[in-house]
Amino acid sequence: MISKDRMTPLEIPAIPDLNNFPLKASLKERYPHHDFYLENDAAAAAIGEFHYGKGDVSDNFLFITMGTGIGSALVLDGQVFKGSRGNALEMGHMLSRGNAGLETLIGRNGILRIMANLVAAYPEKAG
């Protein structure tokens, strides 16, 4: 998740040291003659699909990413819908059981945790 003004990462599960770090301003300060754009990874992928996807890409679609985590973006009328706080439809950060984020439950680390629990519970089946 990133700030509404697209200047600061709020939560990057894979790189937590960048959480709340003024990334765009720091890059601009270090490289003043370059332009920088900060966007959520799933939203950036959805924008890429909209502009460069094969075939007749709809102006309206839900884009879901599954990699090291779960991500999503909604494209409405050819623009990523960001909502009032700037991170609408960030599916990986939706709350689920016990107020845990979906990313925590079924992202890469969640799947590894589930597997470790299953191996521990059924050691005779591991192999």
Side-chain angles (χ1 to χ4, degrees):
M1 292 195 320
I2 59 176
S3 61
K4 187 175 180 176
D5 64 4
R6 301 314 203 231
M7 298 288 288
T8 306
L10 300 175
E11 183 179 352
I12 302 178
I15 315 170
D17 288 346
L18 288 178
N19 293 351
N20 299 305
F21 177 75
L23 183 59
K24 188 172 178 179
S26 295
L27 287 168
K28 191 66 177 164
E29 181 179 322
R30 177 112 188 226
Y31 305 100
H33 303 294
H34 295 276
D35 292 326
F36 294 95
Y37 301 90
L38 187 61
E39 186 54 81
N40 167 280
D41 57 347
I47 291 166
E49 180 66 24
F50 178 74
H51 288 289
Y52 304 105
K54 291 187 180 217
D56 187 23
V57 179
S58 174
D59 286 350
N60 305 292
F61 61 91
L62 176 64
F63 193 86
I64 298 173
T65 62
M66 296 181 75
T68 56
I70 310 298
S72 60
L74 177 64
V75 174
L76 288 175
D77 297 325
Q79 300 289 319
V80 171
F81 176 70
K82 294 180 178 127
S84 63
R85 294 184 181 166
N87 290 291
L89 285 137
E90 182 52 46
M91 186 168 53
H93 296 279
M94 291 171 36
L95 296 180
S96 184
R97 289 188 212 138
N99 265 356
L102 187 62
E103 178 85 25
T104 304
L105 295 173
I106 62 171
R108 176 185 171 272
N109 290 338
I111 291 170
L112 291 174
R113 188 173 38 259
I114 290 167
M115 289 306 301
N117 289 342
L118 287 171
V119 168
Y122 302 99
E124 72 282 359
K125 305 249 183 213

